Amino acid sequence: YDMDITVTPIVPPCLEDAYEENDTSAAAAAVTAGGYTGLRSCDTDDDWYSADLLVGDTLQVDLSFIDADGDIDLELYDPALLGLGSSTSTSDDESVGPVTAAVAGTYYVEVTLFSDAGPDAGNDYDMDVLVTLAPCVDDSFEENDTDAAALAVTPGIYPGLSSCPSDDDWYVVSGLLIGDEVLASTTFLHAEGDIDMFLYDGSVAQVDLSTSTTDGESVSWVA
């Protein structure tokens, strides 16, 4: 008799990383500035990431991988999913940016395995996300950075102010009589930065403070 034996090796599946299922922009994994290691790009299984930016912030994304194990491509998108830049070389590593955010919103990163190679399905990669914040723009009341340079204000609403790092804003309310009450409050988004308030008397002795970790702060005192 005749006998024919055929052995078909099992092809191991592409092992997914911890950020799956991030296969579409709608399911993008949120990232911030920093390094991300141990990622894996699989065939027909794009990896999407998202980063929130404000106007003027810049974003750069760098991928590190061995192209001989699989060619990976990289693309960045704005909040409307319009392409901002791509990197599609046929060598190790890809990089896009820095790109500057023209509008505030969620920006997207797409990582694609263009072609597979090597003994294992898919290819490993590391990703570095670099975010440079837009410079803090002073408001029209600067320079009021010390008590000596405090801006004289009267009761009313003062919109469009800006609190910058290492740049305190000082204001002075004059003409209070004994028993008069002064109340000052701020409204802001805590997610964009934690603002604190302090209230001092005429001798610059602290009489009240508000240092919560929520939106808005408020201080008051009876003279």
Side-chain angles (χ1 to χ4, degrees), residues 8-34:
T8 303
I10 295 176
V11 178
C14 183
L15 300 178
E16 295 181 336
D17 58 46
Y19 289 96
E20 293 291 346
E21 300 289 333
N22 59 331
D23 306 335
T24 65
S25 60
V31 295
T32 56

Side-chain angles (χ1 to χ4, degrees), residues 55-58 100 132-138 162 164-165:
V55 175
D57 291 350
T58 63
T100 301
T132 302
L133 301 181
C136 187
V137 179
D138 285 339
S162 180
C164 295

Side-chain angles (χ1 to χ4, degrees), residues 11-14 40 69 116-123:
V11 178
C14 183
R40 191 160 187 84
D69 290 333
D116 204 353
D120 300 321
N123 194 5

